[in-house]
Amino acid sequence: MTFLEIHDVHKNYGEHEVLRGVSLEVAKHEVVCLIGASGSGKSTLLRCINALEPIRSGEIRVAGDVVSGLGVDVNRLRRNVGMVFQSYNLFPHMSVLRNVTLAPVRVGGRSRAEAEEKALALLDRVGMKDKAGAYPDALSGGQQQRVAIVRALASDPQVLLLDEITAALDPELVGDVLAIVRELAQDGLTMLLATHEMGFAREVASQVCFLHEGRILERGTPAQIFEDPQEDRTRQFLGRVLASGRL
Amino acid sequence: MTSGAETEAVAAEPTPPQRVLPTAVVALLVAVLCALAAALALWSLHRMLEPPAAVDALLVALAVVALLPLVPAVRAFGDDRRRARHLAAGRLAPARHQAASGREHAHTAMGYALAVLICAGLVWFTTANDGAITTTFLRWEFLRSSFANVLDAFWINVEVAVGAQLLVLVVGLVVAVMRLLPGRAGRPLRWLAIAYVDTFRAIPSIITLYLVGFGLKLAQVPVFKDLSPVWLAIIALTLTYSSYVAEVYRAGIESIHPSQWAAARSLGLSYGMTLRTVIVPQAVRRIVPPLLNDFIGLQKDTALIGVMGVTDAFAQSRLTASNVFNLTPVIVVAVLFVLITIPQARYVDRLLAKEQTRTGRS
């Protein structure tokens, strides 16, 4: 059953057309990887799904409900759609625990005690429980990103959007973060990832989409995309990635 | 390969130490001249005061302090001698070390000597015209007789300052948030906020005080006409300074990276909640220093409330000053303002230091 439905979405920043008619269906428990060069529209697509960016035309549905356009309760939508950013974006003036409990307490209506209990359990899962009282500045990039994932999960989202979450990390820290995402995929969380980690995409994705100049140029299983790409552009892109040793 | 050979050639022959003697000579001359100037200034102070022995002893002590820059100046010569000895023995590295130390001593001597010269100049200025300056500004008996009165009146300044500061913190934030309201719906409020800031930042606070102080009473404006002059002063200064502080808040809020908005909104926090829990708390930490600047300005402007008929410390001191035909009471007010400002500056320094240790930034 289709859980997330994106239909012919167009988006521009001023004159520049970033998305030129993107359509995509994501079923529950699916992990979809968006690959493509910088500027191909991966991040913008994720931000549109979360209504962080308004779209010009088209339609986005989450769990059957239209979430694009006017009159949508974006705050409600965002509780169902979690997002993790490339640069972590933790709140520097709050401890790790407060970062994680902010939304459940302020928006989710949970009691502080309940929210903290859950936050600690989640932090424990990613090996960050002993840092609950620390401030983000005192953490490494990998640790901050793990907290950011927990912060997004604390609101029990039904789908998680991950925007190049390892792109800003030192190479030796990437593994820790990817391990968490892998675990979430195994647990059946629906996820959309924009990523440059082709090896990882091949491993966890149920669907891979190759974006080029604001369109999904090619789409298929990891095996189809990585082993038998049909489009020249896809082949060129994967060839360049291969040459840089990232595949 | 060639460049490598050149590097080796250079390394084999270290550069010889620079000369120290000329700098040392200049430093000694400067130190001596400045000490002489200090001696002259202190002598003229002694003649003017004709002080008791205890004060004379203090003057002598000051004269000795004025001689201190001679110490590093003389040391520079010692360094120069040792530099020459090392150089003669072909020990280039120790020679360079002595040369550096000698220059450092010579520069230290000049730095301290010039400070002595400036202080001597100030002393000379206060004793000029046979001490007329000192007797106009600083007469012990007037200081004693006016202190209690002026201090009493100074509480009104403090009251107005604290009252206005508390209001400004709130009004400034409200105006800043109004100015940042998004979308079409926020446009009229944005314009109003801009108009308010443009107007009240442009009007000199003495004029606002005058208009509020007399105008509201004259026009019999309900509620306002019954307010005490102190409250009217608080309102007038709040009007002026909220426009400054609104801009400070706005700069602080706009300095928070948009990714913080994105992160908070992506968690489902509303616009207002994001502002309240994520953006403003971070902004406030950044704006404490400029905020204090404006607060000090506000405190100083409480000396203007005399124009609306409130007898504050400055008005009181002018009254006393014209009675005794001496400016000492006004100096008392000036000193009081300095005294209340310094602790605030140190407090903010401490806040910032604490913040830095907490977040681990250096």
Side-chain angles (χ1 to χ4, degrees):
Chain A
M1 184 212 128
T2 310
F3 177 68
L4 174 67
E5 218 178 324
I6 299 164
H7 182 68
D8 196 28
V9 164
H10 288 258
K11 159 86 191 164
N12 34 337
Y13 292 120
E15 292 287 288
H16 178 57
E17 232 186 340
V18 201
L19 298 178
R20 319 174 181 211
V22 173
S23 296
L24 176 67
E25 297 88 45
V26 180
K28 244 197 147 137
H29 311 305
E30 239 192 322
V31 177
V32 176
C33 284
L34 308 174
I35 62 171
S38 300
S40 59
K42 309 186 295 285
S43 293
T44 308
L45 181 59
L46 292 183
R47 290 173 72 90
C48 288
I49 296 172
N50 197 316
L52 283 174
E53 305 281 354
I55 60 176
R56 197 189 75 202
S57 65
E59 197 176 78
I60 299 174
R61 289 168 177 268
V62 175
D65 214 6
V66 181
V67 298
S68 54
L70 286 175
V72 176
D73 183 352
V74 287
N75 299 329
R76 198 187 154 87
L77 154 73
R78 286 167 181 149
R79 262 174 271 165
N80 292 329
V81 182
M83 181 141 185
V84 185
F85 301 86
Q86 179 178 340
S87 49
Y88 337 129
N89 301 2
L90 293 180
F91 307 130
H93 60 302
M94 296 181 187
S95 69
V96 164
L97 191 62
R98 284 263 289 131
N99 260 284
V100 177
T101 55
L102 180 70
V105 171
R106 296 277 177 160
V107 201
R110 296 221 188 91
S111 73
R112 182 163 292 281
E114 192 189 347
E116 285 186 354
E117 191 186 331
K118 175 158 188 213
L120 287 171
L122 282 168
L123 285 169
D124 195 25
R125 220 178 119 185
V126 301
M128 292 294 297
K129 194 178 176 183
D130 53 329
K131 297 281 186 189
Y135 282 84
D137 287 1
L139 303 179
S140 75
Q143 290 173 326
Q144 290 192 49
Q145 196 58 295
R146 281 187 270 165
V147 173
I149 293 173
V150 166
R151 181 174 69 175
L153 290 175
S155 305
D156 290 320
Q158 292 179 286
V159 52
L160 196 60
L161 311 173
L162 307 166
D163 187 5
E164 300 195 18
I165 58 166
T166 57
L169 293 179
D170 289 339
E172 80 271 19
L173 303 175
V174 170
D176 290 348
V177 172
L178 290 186
I180 292 166
V181 179
R182 190 177 295 127
E183 225 176 275
L184 293 174
Q186 281 159 7
D187 290 354
L189 184 65
T190 315
M191 286 189 282
L192 244 79
L193 293 81
T195 186
H196 286 294
E197 300 285 341
M198 298 305 157
F200 184 71
R202 186 186 232 167
E203 179 195 337
V204 299
S206 43
Q207 224 189 127
V208 176
C209 304
F210 173 68
L211 270 80
H212 181 72
E213 290 176 353
R215 287 195 188 86
I216 295 182
L217 211 59
E218 192 168 359
R219 192 176 145 183
T221 64
Q224 285 169 340
I225 299 288
F226 290 114
E227 271 139 46
D228 188 22
Q230 301 300 308
E231 296 282 336
D232 280 345
R233 298 281 190 190
T234 319
R235 271 197 290 275
Q236 279 171 18
F237 174 74
L238 289 173
R240 278 203 304 275
V241 174
L242 195 64
S244 71
R246 295 293 284 268
L247 187 62
Chain B
M1 278 315 283
T2 4
S3 73
E6 269 170 24
T7 322
E8 266 170 41
V10 170
E13 199 143 334
T15 45
Q18 287 171 288
R19 295 171 52 182
V20 182
L21 202 57
T23 329
V25 169
V26 171
L28 189 65
L29 278 177
V30 170
V32 168
L33 285 176
C34 293
L36 276 178
L40 280 175
L42 288 171
W43 177 247
S44 107
L45 189 64
H46 163 82
R47 269 209 332 224
M48 185 193 87
L49 293 176
E50 294 174 351
V55 178
D56 253 346
L58 184 72
L59 293 185
V60 171
L62 285 177
V64 172
V65 169
L67 288 173
L68 284 181
L70 286 170
V71 176
V74 170
R75 280 196 177 164
F77 282 96
D79 283 325
D80 181 58
R81 240 187 358 264
R82 280 188 292 279
R83 165 192 170 276
R85 256 206 315 273
H86 284 307
L87 200 56
R91 296 187 295 264
L92 277 181
R96 273 201 307 227
H97 181 90
Q98 287 300 336
S101 151
R103 277 194 307 280
E104 174 72 21
H105 275 132
H107 289 154
T108 307
M110 285 191 270
Y112 278 77
L114 288 174
V116 165
L117 184 68
I118 291 169
C119 293
L122 288 175
V123 170
W124 177 83
F125 180 73
T126 56
T127 59
N129 198 7
D130 206 13
I133 289 186
T134 317
T135 46
T136 309
F137 287 112
L138 262 185
R139 284 271 293 275
W140 184 238
E141 68 265 32
F142 294 140
L143 196 149
R144 236 182 347 205
S145 65
S146 66
F147 189 76
N149 272 343
V150 171
L151 186 66
D152 259 356
F154 191 66
W155 287 117
I156 293 181
N157 294 70
V158 173
E159 207 179 314
V160 170
V162 172
Q165 280 165 355
L166 291 176
L167 284 177
V168 161
L169 276 181
V170 179
V171 178
L173 181 59
V174 170
V175 174
V177 169
M178 261 170 74
R179 182 151 187 187
L180 291 169
L181 282 177
R184 197 177 57 181
R187 191 177 298 153
L189 292 175
R190 282 203 298 276
W191 284 351
L192 279 181
I194 292 171
Y196 163 73
V197 169
D198 283 356
T199 311
F200 279 91
R201 214 162 41 153
I203 302 177
S205 41
I206 194 166
I207 293 179
T208 308
L209 278 164
Y210 195 79
L211 293 176
V212 169
F214 294 122
L216 295 180
K217 272 210 159 50
L218 214 60
Q220 294 283 305
V221 182
V223 184
F224 289 100
K225 70 180 195 312
D226 302 322
L227 288 177
S228 72
V230 167
W231 267 108
L232 290 174
I234 290 177
I235 289 170
L237 286 175
T238 302
L239 280 174
T240 299
Y241 276 88
S242 293
S243 61
Y244 286 103
V245 170
E247 289 297 279
V248 170
Y249 270 121
R250 183 169 73 103
I253 289 171
E254 284 182 337
S255 78
I256 304 297
H257 199 269
S259 64
Q260 290 285 312
W261 279 100
R265 296 308 302 273
S266 80
L267 288 169
L269 270 67
S270 65
Y271 180 90
M273 211 180 283
T274 301
L275 205 58
R276 209 169 60 237
T277 58
V278 174
I279 305 300
V280 170
Q282 290 185 62
V284 165
R285 283 170 169 78
R286 287 187 195 178
I287 63 169
V288 166
L291 198 62
L292 178 82
N293 236 1
D294 283 341
F295 273 10
I296 289 174
L298 190 159
Q299 272 159 223
K300 292 194 297 184
D301 274 4
T302 61
L304 301 173
I305 64 179
V307 298
M308 45 196 291
V310 184
T311 309
D312 75 313
F314 182 45
Q316 177 65 47
S317 71
R318 269 181 308 169
L319 220 65
T320 321
S322 55
N323 278 340
V324 298
F325 206 62
N326 185 280
L327 288 180
T328 307
V330 182
I331 292 289
V332 172
V333 187
V335 170
L336 286 175
F337 272 111
V338 172
L339 286 181
I340 62 163
T341 305
I342 290 174
Q344 297 174 63
R346 292 296 87 76
Y347 178 67
V348 171
D349 287 349
R350 240 188 43 208
L351 276 187
L352 288 177
K354 214 169 101 189
E355 178 73 9
Q356 275 169 352
T357 43
R358 186 184 67 60
T359 56
R361 289 201 201 94
S362 54

